[in-house]
Amino acid sequence: MLSNGVSEGSERDYSCGRRGSGHCFGTLPVYTLQKEATVSLAYVEAAECLSEPVNREPPSREAQLMTLRNTSEFDILVIGGGATGCGCALDAVTRGLKTALVERDDFSSGTSSRSTKLIHGGVRYLQKAIMNLDVEQYRMVKEALHERANLLEIAPHLSAPLPIMLPLYKWWQLPYYWVGIKMYDLVAGSHCLKSSYVLSKSRALEHFPMLQKDKLVGAIVYYDGQHNDARMNLAIALTAARYGAATANYMEVVSLLKKTDPETGKERVSGARCKDVLTGEEFDVRAKCVINATGPFTDAVRKMDDNSVVPICQPSAGVHIVMPGYYSPENMGLLDPATSDGRVIFFLPWEKMTIAGTTDTPTDITPHPIPSEDDINFILNEVRNYLSSDVEVRRGDVLAAWSGIRPLVTDPKSADTQSISRNHVVDVSDSGLITIAGGKWTTYRSMAEDTVNAAVKVHNLKAGPSRTVGLFLQGGKDWSPTLYIRLVQDYGLESEVAQHLAKTYGDKAFEVAKMASVTGKRWPVVGVRLVSEFPYIEAEVKYGIKEYACTAVDMISRRTRLAFLNVQAAEEALPRIVELMGRELNWSELRKQECALVEFGKSTPFKSNFSKKKLQCSHMQNGPPDGVRKQSKTELEIATRFLYYEMGYKSRTEQLTDSTEISLLPSDIDRYKKRFHKFDEDEKGFITIVDVQRVLESINVQMDENTLHEILCEVDLNKNGQVELHEFLQLMSAVQKGRVSGSRLAILMKTAEENLDRRVPIPVDRSCGGL
């Protein structure tokens, strides 16, 4: 019996190989995802095979670092804190192996937090399998559907079935797609979530009223799973930590350690030299086996082992956008199976917003991928094709946009990433480095099982079979759909906030509720929101630190999902988040407010300027210069840079600039000039805060000066403290084109013009906050 209660030995062969043929990479055959998924899920049995977790709560990061420093040798060291890496750590530690994991950024900071948020087998992969008689693709889909069912079971608070509509505009499509979708149900077998069904045109429009009506003949609805990807990744990491794995984010592998095998005389990988990114401290972490689970950076770690290796990873960029929730029904997604260039687009409700994507284009590998304007417009154009002409799809309604890099495994000479399936490979180098590459989010557990199987076989580790099927992740065990009611009744939380906490933290939601601040209102009693339109509360910042959040970016993007839902809301919440984190982590004022770029040993400090809603530093306008290493002395600046480049804020600023073209009819120009001159009585050619205050006072509306400053600053393109007539016309032209939406100045001036005599209060809250 091993230390965690797992018995040694098993009738099951836990060698590297799955049934089926493999492709040879290195000295050991690399087996693609070919396991026959015929074994029914044994949730209760799997859970009973394990003892209770070693830790009731995950140890602190400081405790984890101490374990990494002081442990003479681990059985397994995992490099990479994405879904696959954390899955490997959980699989290994629950087998009784002494396990460590290091991640140079935050858990799920890369591709694992930038997915389509689906847990799926892959309808398009099944289509390819049938059309091409591809057994490998078929087995991959079958395996993924098995894993889909397991993931929905072990993390019910973070995942749920989602109906997805496939609209049909030609009669011949009905039997064609019906057969394909029914095959999808059939391959799922006992793991089918719900049976697919056909809808008439009228019923389809009932379920999806914003759908394009013309030529619609009906629709097919099938079911897949949806989840909160970053939180799911974090739950895997926290569960591994509770079972005894030493996991640490912001630990970068500087180099691999090697030693000579006395029996063979060959060099073997024996650990890694690691650096704490936050403090600069370096130390060695030794292990019998090192697993490389670094996603797009797979080949970089492989080259640390052997600089002559042939790359096995071909990266592909997938861009997604987020739009207001009114673009889609709350409980029905949409699939466009054949876009104008042959790709697939999903249009899905997520976190009360609408997510659309994805693209699929070859890309360079970078830790900070940026969504391009071309990709954003491609997605918008495809969305327009499927929505009613009554729904104006506006560029300004894009609330956030991001790009994720898929680590596809392929022949390095291939240029066609669209034809590549996401099969995974396990590669074992001559020196014993285990690399897991490729795959997809849904099959992270199966990939981890294959990888640890390989590690056990190659390095002669003493361990039993995988125990992760049916193993509840953090927060899932005692969750129920009605848990949020207890939060409302016991703590006095708003219903919306309580539901959010329950589905984000599961049975750990009570711990967050206990940290919630009193509001001072009759209702809700506790739970101060970070921003008014989202249910995230200040207590989540404090709790997020217990979940290894080290920076403001961790908090706005992966502990909460604000950055992925609305970048303007995330920016508004940043000062308060930094204040709360600074208080808990004892940050200096310098770290909160200033930034330093260290270029070849020279420091160039600059300060953030949030009041102008624009990045003033030239380094940020042009992107971080080559040869520059960022030193994290600032939280506001680093987080703003993240929003600006990686979450689509840069695209927002480019929709309205001092070079924006004015494309208005003469009648529109006259109308907008008259509106402008109601504020510019003296015909100076510009308006200031004083002019706006005068008009508002005339209709008995009060507004504080700071708010007015922010409103005018959004349109003050040349930043001279006033809004000129041509700037106002540029704004109205961008609004008409749909490139800008929710402009507070445009709404204020229009409402003031219409209500000067009636004196109705003017709404000035941010509307949608589109990019």
Short mmCIF file of all heavy atoms in Angstrom, two decimals, residues 541-596:
data_model
loop_
_atom_site.label_atom_id
_atom_site.label_comp_id
_atom_site.label_asym_id
_atom_site.label_seq_id
_atom_site.Cartn_x
_atom_site.Cartn_y
_atom_site.Cartn_z
N VAL A 541 -11.35 38.68 -4.17
CA VAL A 541 -9.95 39.09 -4.28
C VAL A 541 -9.15 38.49 -3.12
O VAL A 541 -8.06 37.93 -3.32
CB VAL A 541 -9.83 40.62 -4.29
CG1 VAL A 541 -8.37 41.05 -4.35
CG2 VAL A 541 -10.61 41.20 -5.47
N LYS A 542 -9.70 38.58 -1.94
CA LYS A 542 -9.02 38.01 -0.77
C LYS A 542 -8.91 36.49 -0.90
O LYS A 542 -7.86 35.90 -0.61
CB LYS A 542 -9.79 38.37 0.51
CG LYS A 542 -9.90 39.87 0.76
CD LYS A 542 -10.77 40.15 1.99
CE LYS A 542 -11.00 41.65 2.17
NZ LYS A 542 -11.90 41.93 3.31
N TYR A 543 -9.98 35.87 -1.34
CA TYR A 543 -9.97 34.42 -1.48
C TYR A 543 -9.04 33.99 -2.63
O TYR A 543 -8.40 32.94 -2.56
CB TYR A 543 -11.38 33.88 -1.73
CG TYR A 543 -11.47 32.38 -1.64
CD1 TYR A 543 -11.47 31.74 -0.40
CD2 TYR A 543 -11.53 31.58 -2.78
CE1 TYR A 543 -11.54 30.35 -0.29
CE2 TYR A 543 -11.60 30.21 -2.70
CZ TYR A 543 -11.61 29.60 -1.45
OH TYR A 543 -11.66 28.22 -1.36
N GLY A 544 -8.97 34.81 -3.67
CA GLY A 544 -8.11 34.50 -4.81
C GLY A 544 -6.65 34.39 -4.42
O GLY A 544 -5.89 33.64 -5.04
N ILE A 545 -6.23 35.14 -3.41
CA ILE A 545 -4.85 35.05 -2.93
C ILE A 545 -4.60 33.67 -2.33
O ILE A 545 -3.52 33.10 -2.49
CB ILE A 545 -4.56 36.18 -1.93
CG1 ILE A 545 -4.63 37.52 -2.66
CG2 ILE A 545 -3.21 35.99 -1.25
CD1 ILE A 545 -4.57 38.72 -1.75
N LYS A 546 -5.61 33.10 -1.67
CA LYS A 546 -5.48 31.74 -1.15
C LYS A 546 -5.38 30.74 -2.29
O LYS A 546 -4.86 29.63 -2.11
CB LYS A 546 -6.69 31.40 -0.27
CG LYS A 546 -6.78 32.20 1.01
CD LYS A 546 -8.00 31.80 1.83
CE LYS A 546 -7.95 30.36 2.28
NZ LYS A 546 -9.10 30.01 3.15
N GLU A 547 -5.87 31.13 -3.47
CA GLU A 547 -5.80 30.27 -4.65
C GLU A 547 -4.57 30.58 -5.50
O GLU A 547 -4.55 30.34 -6.70
CB GLU A 547 -7.06 30.44 -5.50
CG GLU A 547 -8.35 30.02 -4.82
CD GLU A 547 -9.56 30.22 -5.72
OE1 GLU A 547 -9.61 31.25 -6.42
OE2 GLU A 547 -10.45 29.35 -5.73
N TYR A 548 -3.54 31.13 -4.88
CA TYR A 548 -2.24 31.38 -5.51
C TYR A 548 -2.23 32.56 -6.48
O TYR A 548 -1.30 32.67 -7.29
CB TYR A 548 -1.71 30.13 -6.22
CG TYR A 548 -1.63 28.91 -5.34
CD1 TYR A 548 -2.21 27.70 -5.71
CD2 TYR A 548 -0.97 28.96 -4.11
CE1 TYR A 548 -2.13 26.57 -4.90
CE2 TYR A 548 -0.89 27.83 -3.29
CZ TYR A 548 -1.48 26.65 -3.69
OH TYR A 548 -1.40 25.55 -2.87
N ALA A 549 -3.20 33.46 -6.43
CA ALA A 549 -3.13 34.67 -7.24
C ALA A 549 -2.01 35.55 -6.69
O ALA A 549 -1.96 35.85 -5.50
CB ALA A 549 -4.45 35.42 -7.19
N CYS A 550 -1.10 35.96 -7.59
CA CYS A 550 0.05 36.76 -7.17
C CYS A 550 0.05 38.16 -7.77
O CYS A 550 0.77 39.03 -7.29
CB CYS A 550 1.34 36.06 -7.58
SG CYS A 550 1.58 34.44 -6.83
N THR A 551 -0.73 38.37 -8.83
CA THR A 551 -0.73 39.67 -9.51
C THR A 551 -2.17 40.10 -9.80
O THR A 551 -3.10 39.29 -9.74
CB THR A 551 0.03 39.59 -10.85
OG1 THR A 551 -0.72 38.79 -11.78
CG2 THR A 551 1.41 38.99 -10.67
N ALA A 552 -2.32 41.36 -10.17
CA ALA A 552 -3.64 41.87 -10.54
C ALA A 552 -4.16 41.19 -11.79
O ALA A 552 -5.36 40.97 -11.95
CB ALA A 552 -3.58 43.38 -10.73
N VAL A 553 -3.25 40.84 -12.71
CA VAL A 553 -3.67 40.13 -13.93
C VAL A 553 -4.27 38.78 -13.58
O VAL A 553 -5.28 38.36 -14.16
CB VAL A 553 -2.48 39.97 -14.90
CG1 VAL A 553 -2.87 39.08 -16.08
CG2 VAL A 553 -2.04 41.33 -15.42
N ASP A 554 -3.66 38.07 -12.63
CA ASP A 554 -4.23 36.79 -12.18
C ASP A 554 -5.68 36.98 -11.75
O ASP A 554 -6.55 36.15 -12.04
CB ASP A 554 -3.44 36.24 -10.99
CG ASP A 554 -1.99 35.95 -11.33
OD1 ASP A 554 -1.66 35.90 -12.52
OD2 ASP A 554 -1.20 35.78 -10.38
N MET A 555 -5.92 38.09 -11.06
CA MET A 555 -7.24 38.31 -10.46
C MET A 555 -8.29 38.68 -11.49
O MET A 555 -9.41 38.19 -11.45
CB MET A 555 -7.14 39.39 -9.38
CG MET A 555 -8.26 39.34 -8.36
SD MET A 555 -8.25 37.84 -7.36
CE MET A 555 -6.78 38.06 -6.37
N ILE A 556 -7.95 39.56 -12.43
CA ILE A 556 -8.97 40.02 -13.39
C ILE A 556 -9.20 39.03 -14.52
O ILE A 556 -10.22 39.11 -15.21
CB ILE A 556 -8.60 41.40 -14.00
CG1 ILE A 556 -7.29 41.33 -14.78
CG2 ILE A 556 -8.58 42.47 -12.92
CD1 ILE A 556 -6.94 42.62 -15.51
N SER A 557 -8.28 38.09 -14.71
CA SER A 557 -8.43 37.20 -15.87
C SER A 557 -8.69 35.75 -15.52
O SER A 557 -9.38 35.06 -16.28
CB SER A 557 -7.17 37.28 -16.75
OG SER A 557 -6.03 36.91 -16.01
N ARG A 558 -8.20 35.27 -14.36
CA ARG A 558 -8.31 33.84 -14.09
C ARG A 558 -8.98 33.50 -12.77
O ARG A 558 -9.61 32.44 -12.67
CB ARG A 558 -6.91 33.20 -14.17
CG ARG A 558 -6.35 33.25 -15.58
CD ARG A 558 -4.93 32.74 -15.65
NE ARG A 558 -3.96 33.67 -15.10
CZ ARG A 558 -3.40 34.67 -15.79
NH1 ARG A 558 -3.73 34.88 -17.04
NH2 ARG A 558 -2.50 35.46 -15.21
N ARG A 559 -8.90 34.35 -11.74
CA ARG A 559 -9.68 34.09 -10.52
C ARG A 559 -11.10 34.62 -10.73
O ARG A 559 -12.06 33.92 -10.49
CB ARG A 559 -9.02 34.74 -9.30
CG ARG A 559 -7.59 34.27 -9.01
CD ARG A 559 -7.44 32.75 -9.04
NE ARG A 559 -6.06 32.32 -8.77
CZ ARG A 559 -5.10 32.27 -9.66
NH1 ARG A 559 -5.34 32.64 -10.93
NH2 ARG A 559 -3.88 31.84 -9.35
N THR A 560 -11.21 35.85 -11.20
CA THR A 560 -12.46 36.31 -11.79
C THR A 560 -12.24 36.27 -13.30
O THR A 560 -11.12 36.10 -13.76
CB THR A 560 -12.81 37.75 -11.35
OG1 THR A 560 -11.92 38.66 -12.00
CG2 THR A 560 -12.72 37.91 -9.85
N ARG A 561 -13.30 36.46 -14.09
CA ARG A 561 -13.13 36.43 -15.55
C ARG A 561 -13.47 37.79 -16.15
O ARG A 561 -13.82 37.89 -17.34
CB ARG A 561 -14.04 35.36 -16.17
CG ARG A 561 -13.86 33.95 -15.64
CD ARG A 561 -12.41 33.46 -15.59
NE ARG A 561 -11.67 33.55 -16.82
CZ ARG A 561 -11.67 32.62 -17.78
NH1 ARG A 561 -12.39 31.54 -17.64
NH2 ARG A 561 -10.94 32.77 -18.87
N LEU A 562 -13.32 38.85 -15.36
CA LEU A 562 -13.70 40.18 -15.81
C LEU A 562 -13.02 40.58 -17.12
O LEU A 562 -13.65 41.14 -18.02
CB LEU A 562 -13.36 41.21 -14.73
CG LEU A 562 -14.47 41.63 -13.78
CD1 LEU A 562 -13.93 42.59 -12.72
CD2 LEU A 562 -15.63 42.25 -14.52
N ALA A 563 -11.72 40.32 -17.24
CA ALA A 563 -10.99 40.73 -18.44
C ALA A 563 -11.53 40.04 -19.68
O ALA A 563 -11.48 40.59 -20.77
CB ALA A 563 -9.50 40.44 -18.27
N PHE A 564 -12.04 38.82 -19.53
CA PHE A 564 -12.57 38.07 -20.66
C PHE A 564 -14.00 38.45 -20.98
O PHE A 564 -14.51 38.08 -22.04
CB PHE A 564 -12.49 36.56 -20.39
CG PHE A 564 -11.10 35.99 -20.54
CD1 PHE A 564 -10.17 36.13 -19.52
CD2 PHE A 564 -10.73 35.34 -21.69
CE1 PHE A 564 -8.89 35.62 -19.66
CE2 PHE A 564 -9.45 34.82 -21.85
CZ PHE A 564 -8.53 34.96 -20.83
N LEU A 565 -14.66 39.16 -20.08
CA LEU A 565 -16.06 39.52 -20.28
C LEU A 565 -16.24 40.97 -20.71
O LEU A 565 -17.10 41.27 -21.52
CB LEU A 565 -16.86 39.26 -18.99
CG LEU A 565 -16.95 37.80 -18.56
CD1 LEU A 565 -17.56 37.70 -17.17
CD2 LEU A 565 -17.76 36.99 -19.55
N ASN A 566 -15.42 41.86 -20.18
CA ASN A 566 -15.56 43.28 -20.50
C ASN A 566 -14.29 44.01 -20.04
O ASN A 566 -14.08 44.20 -18.84
CB ASN A 566 -16.79 43.88 -19.81
CG ASN A 566 -17.11 45.28 -20.29
OD1 ASN A 566 -16.23 46.11 -20.44
ND2 ASN A 566 -18.38 45.55 -20.51
N VAL A 567 -13.45 44.41 -20.97
CA VAL A 567 -12.17 45.00 -20.59
C VAL A 567 -12.33 46.35 -19.91
O VAL A 567 -11.54 46.72 -19.05
CB VAL A 567 -11.20 45.12 -21.79
CG1 VAL A 567 -10.76 43.77 -22.27
CG2 VAL A 567 -11.79 45.93 -22.91
N GLN A 568 -13.37 47.09 -20.28
CA GLN A 568 -13.58 48.38 -19.62
C GLN A 568 -13.99 48.18 -18.16
O GLN A 568 -13.54 48.91 -17.28
CB GLN A 568 -14.63 49.19 -20.37
CG GLN A 568 -14.13 49.77 -21.68
CD GLN A 568 -15.20 50.62 -22.34
OE1 GLN A 568 -16.18 50.10 -22.88
NE2 GLN A 568 -15.01 51.92 -22.32
N ALA A 569 -14.83 47.18 -17.91
CA ALA A 569 -15.22 46.88 -16.54
C ALA A 569 -14.00 46.40 -15.75
O ALA A 569 -13.84 46.75 -14.57
CB ALA A 569 -16.32 45.81 -16.53
N ALA A 570 -13.15 45.60 -16.39
CA ALA A 570 -11.93 45.13 -15.72
C ALA A 570 -11.03 46.30 -15.37
O ALA A 570 -10.45 46.36 -14.28
CB ALA A 570 -11.20 44.14 -16.61
N GLU A 571 -10.91 47.27 -16.28
CA GLU A 571 -10.08 48.44 -16.02
C GLU A 571 -10.65 49.25 -14.85
O GLU A 571 -9.90 49.74 -14.00
CB GLU A 571 -9.96 49.31 -17.26
CG GLU A 571 -8.99 50.45 -17.08
CD GLU A 571 -9.16 51.52 -18.14
OE1 GLU A 571 -10.30 51.84 -18.50
OE2 GLU A 571 -8.14 52.05 -18.59
N GLU A 572 -11.97 49.38 -14.82
CA GLU A 572 -12.59 50.12 -13.72
C GLU A 572 -12.35 49.45 -12.37
O GLU A 572 -12.20 50.12 -11.35
CB GLU A 572 -14.10 50.25 -13.97
CG GLU A 572 -14.46 51.23 -15.05
CD GLU A 572 -15.96 51.35 -15.24
OE1 GLU A 572 -16.71 50.89 -14.35
OE2 GLU A 572 -16.39 51.90 -16.27
N ALA A 573 -12.31 48.11 -12.37
CA ALA A 573 -12.14 47.38 -11.12
C ALA A 573 -10.68 47.34 -10.66
O ALA A 573 -10.40 47.07 -9.49
CB ALA A 573 -12.68 45.96 -11.28
N LEU A 574 -9.75 47.60 -11.58
CA LEU A 574 -8.33 47.41 -11.28
C LEU A 574 -7.84 48.19 -10.05
O LEU A 574 -7.16 47.60 -9.19
CB LEU A 574 -7.49 47.78 -12.49
CG LEU A 574 -7.06 46.62 -13.39
CD1 LEU A 574 -6.27 47.13 -14.58
CD2 LEU A 574 -6.24 45.61 -12.62
N PRO A 575 -8.10 49.49 -9.94
CA PRO A 575 -7.57 50.20 -8.77
C PRO A 575 -8.00 49.58 -7.44
O PRO A 575 -7.18 49.45 -6.53
CB PRO A 575 -8.14 51.62 -8.95
CG PRO A 575 -8.34 51.75 -10.43
CD PRO A 575 -8.78 50.40 -10.88
N ARG A 576 -9.26 49.18 -7.35
CA ARG A 576 -9.74 48.57 -6.10
C ARG A 576 -9.11 47.20 -5.89
O ARG A 576 -8.75 46.84 -4.76
CB ARG A 576 -11.26 48.46 -6.14
CG ARG A 576 -11.89 47.87 -4.87
CD ARG A 576 -11.52 48.67 -3.63
NE ARG A 576 -12.17 48.15 -2.44
CZ ARG A 576 -11.78 48.40 -1.19
NH1 ARG A 576 -10.72 49.20 -0.98
NH2 ARG A 576 -12.43 47.90 -0.18
N ILE A 577 -8.96 46.42 -6.97
CA ILE A 577 -8.33 45.11 -6.86
C ILE A 577 -6.89 45.25 -6.38
O ILE A 577 -6.44 44.51 -5.49
CB ILE A 577 -8.40 44.36 -8.21
CG1 ILE A 577 -9.85 43.90 -8.47
CG2 ILE A 577 -7.46 43.17 -8.23
CD1 ILE A 577 -10.07 43.31 -9.84
N VAL A 578 -6.16 46.20 -6.97
CA VAL A 578 -4.77 46.43 -6.57
C VAL A 578 -4.70 46.87 -5.11
O VAL A 578 -3.82 46.44 -4.35
CB VAL A 578 -4.11 47.47 -7.50
CG1 VAL A 578 -2.75 47.90 -6.95
CG2 VAL A 578 -3.94 46.90 -8.90
N GLU A 579 -5.63 47.71 -4.71
CA GLU A 579 -5.66 48.16 -3.31
C GLU A 579 -5.87 47.00 -2.36
O GLU A 579 -5.17 46.86 -1.35
CB GLU A 579 -6.77 49.20 -3.13
CG GLU A 579 -6.87 49.76 -1.72
CD GLU A 579 -8.04 50.72 -1.55
OE1 GLU A 579 -8.64 51.12 -2.56
OE2 GLU A 579 -8.35 51.07 -0.39
N LEU A 580 -6.84 46.12 -2.68
CA LEU A 580 -7.14 44.98 -1.82
C LEU A 580 -5.98 43.98 -1.79
O LEU A 580 -5.60 43.48 -0.73
CB LEU A 580 -8.41 44.28 -2.29
CG LEU A 580 -9.72 45.06 -2.11
CD1 LEU A 580 -10.86 44.38 -2.85
CD2 LEU A 580 -10.07 45.20 -0.63
N MET A 581 -5.40 43.70 -2.96
CA MET A 581 -4.28 42.76 -3.01
C MET A 581 -3.06 43.34 -2.31
O MET A 581 -2.33 42.62 -1.60
CB MET A 581 -3.93 42.42 -4.45
CG MET A 581 -4.98 41.60 -5.18
SD MET A 581 -4.43 41.02 -6.81
CE MET A 581 -3.31 39.70 -6.33
N GLY A 582 -2.84 44.64 -2.51
CA GLY A 582 -1.71 45.29 -1.86
C GLY A 582 -1.80 45.21 -0.35
O GLY A 582 -0.79 45.01 0.34
N ARG A 583 -3.02 45.35 0.16
CA ARG A 583 -3.23 45.28 1.61
C ARG A 583 -2.94 43.87 2.13
O ARG A 583 -2.32 43.69 3.18
CB ARG A 583 -4.67 45.67 1.92
CG ARG A 583 -4.98 45.86 3.40
CD ARG A 583 -6.45 46.19 3.58
NE ARG A 583 -6.83 47.38 2.81
CZ ARG A 583 -8.08 47.69 2.50
NH1 ARG A 583 -9.08 46.89 2.87
NH2 ARG A 583 -8.35 48.79 1.83
N GLU A 584 -3.38 42.86 1.37
CA GLU A 584 -3.21 41.47 1.80
C GLU A 584 -1.76 41.00 1.63
O GLU A 584 -1.25 40.21 2.43
CB GLU A 584 -4.14 40.55 1.00
CG GLU A 584 -5.62 40.79 1.23
CD GLU A 584 -6.08 40.41 2.62
OE1 GLU A 584 -5.60 39.37 3.12
OE2 GLU A 584 -6.90 41.14 3.20
N LEU A 585 -1.10 41.47 0.57
CA LEU A 585 0.25 40.99 0.25
C LEU A 585 1.35 41.98 0.62
O LEU A 585 2.51 41.76 0.30
CB LEU A 585 0.32 40.67 -1.26
CG LEU A 585 -0.61 39.56 -1.74
CD1 LEU A 585 -0.57 39.45 -3.26
CD2 LEU A 585 -0.23 38.22 -1.11
N ASN A 586 0.95 43.07 1.28
CA ASN A 586 1.92 44.08 1.74
C ASN A 586 2.73 44.68 0.59
O ASN A 586 3.96 44.82 0.69
CB ASN A 586 2.86 43.48 2.80
CG ASN A 586 2.12 43.02 4.04
OD1 ASN A 586 1.24 43.73 4.55
ND2 ASN A 586 2.45 41.83 4.53
N TRP A 587 2.05 45.02 -0.48
CA TRP A 587 2.73 45.67 -1.60
C TRP A 587 3.08 47.11 -1.22
O TRP A 587 2.32 47.79 -0.52
CB TRP A 587 1.84 45.71 -2.83
CG TRP A 587 1.70 44.38 -3.50
CD1 TRP A 587 2.47 43.27 -3.33
CD2 TRP A 587 0.69 44.03 -4.46
NE1 TRP A 587 2.02 42.25 -4.12
CE2 TRP A 587 0.94 42.68 -4.82
CE3 TRP A 587 -0.37 44.70 -5.05
CZ2 TRP A 587 0.14 42.00 -5.75
CZ3 TRP A 587 -1.15 44.03 -5.97
CH2 TRP A 587 -0.90 42.70 -6.32
N SER A 588 4.19 47.57 -1.74
CA SER A 588 4.56 48.98 -1.55
C SER A 588 3.76 49.84 -2.52
O SER A 588 3.22 49.35 -3.51
CB SER A 588 6.06 49.15 -1.82
OG SER A 588 6.33 48.91 -3.20
N GLU A 589 3.71 51.14 -2.25
CA GLU A 589 3.04 52.06 -3.16
C GLU A 589 3.74 52.06 -4.52
O GLU A 589 3.11 52.23 -5.56
CB GLU A 589 3.04 53.48 -2.57
CG GLU A 589 2.07 53.66 -1.41
CD GLU A 589 0.64 53.35 -1.82
OE1 GLU A 589 0.21 53.80 -2.90
OE2 GLU A 589 -0.06 52.65 -1.05
N LEU A 590 5.06 51.85 -4.51
CA LEU A 590 5.82 51.81 -5.76
C LEU A 590 5.33 50.68 -6.65
O LEU A 590 5.10 50.86 -7.84
CB LEU A 590 7.31 51.64 -5.47
CG LEU A 590 8.24 51.61 -6.68
CD1 LEU A 590 8.28 52.99 -7.33
CD2 LEU A 590 9.64 51.17 -6.28
N ARG A 591 5.13 49.49 -6.03
CA ARG A 591 4.67 48.35 -6.82
C ARG A 591 3.26 48.58 -7.36
O ARG A 591 2.92 48.18 -8.46
CB ARG A 591 4.70 47.07 -5.99
CG ARG A 591 4.10 45.89 -6.76
CD ARG A 591 4.40 44.56 -6.16
NE ARG A 591 3.81 43.51 -6.98
CZ ARG A 591 3.94 42.22 -6.76
NH1 ARG A 591 4.66 41.81 -5.75
NH2 ARG A 591 3.36 41.33 -7.54
N LYS A 592 2.44 49.27 -6.59
CA LYS A 592 1.07 49.52 -7.04
C LYS A 592 1.03 50.49 -8.22
O LYS A 592 0.25 50.33 -9.15
CB LYS A 592 0.23 50.10 -5.90
CG LYS A 592 -0.01 49.16 -4.74
CD LYS A 592 -0.83 49.89 -3.68
CE LYS A 592 -0.94 49.08 -2.42
NZ LYS A 592 -1.69 49.82 -1.36
N GLN A 593 1.87 51.54 -8.17
CA GLN A 593 1.68 52.66 -9.10
C GLN A 593 2.74 52.78 -10.18
O GLN A 593 2.47 53.35 -11.23
CB GLN A 593 1.66 53.98 -8.30
CG GLN A 593 0.56 54.03 -7.27
CD GLN A 593 -0.82 54.01 -7.88
OE1 GLN A 593 -0.99 54.31 -9.05
NE2 GLN A 593 -1.82 53.63 -7.10
N GLU A 594 3.98 52.32 -9.94
CA GLU A 594 5.04 52.58 -10.90
C GLU A 594 5.45 51.32 -11.64
O GLU A 594 5.16 50.21 -11.24
CB GLU A 594 6.28 53.16 -10.19
CG GLU A 594 6.13 54.63 -9.86
CD GLU A 594 7.45 55.24 -9.47
OE1 GLU A 594 8.44 54.51 -9.34
OE2 GLU A 594 7.49 56.46 -9.29
N CYS A 595 6.16 51.52 -12.72
CA CYS A 595 6.68 50.42 -13.52
C CYS A 595 8.10 50.73 -13.92
O CYS A 595 8.48 51.88 -14.08
CB CYS A 595 5.82 50.21 -14.76
SG CYS A 595 6.40 48.92 -15.86
N ALA A 596 8.90 49.71 -14.06
CA ALA A 596 10.26 49.91 -14.58
C ALA A 596 10.51 48.91 -15.69
O ALA A 596 10.20 47.75 -15.58
CB ALA A 596 11.28 49.72 -13.47
#
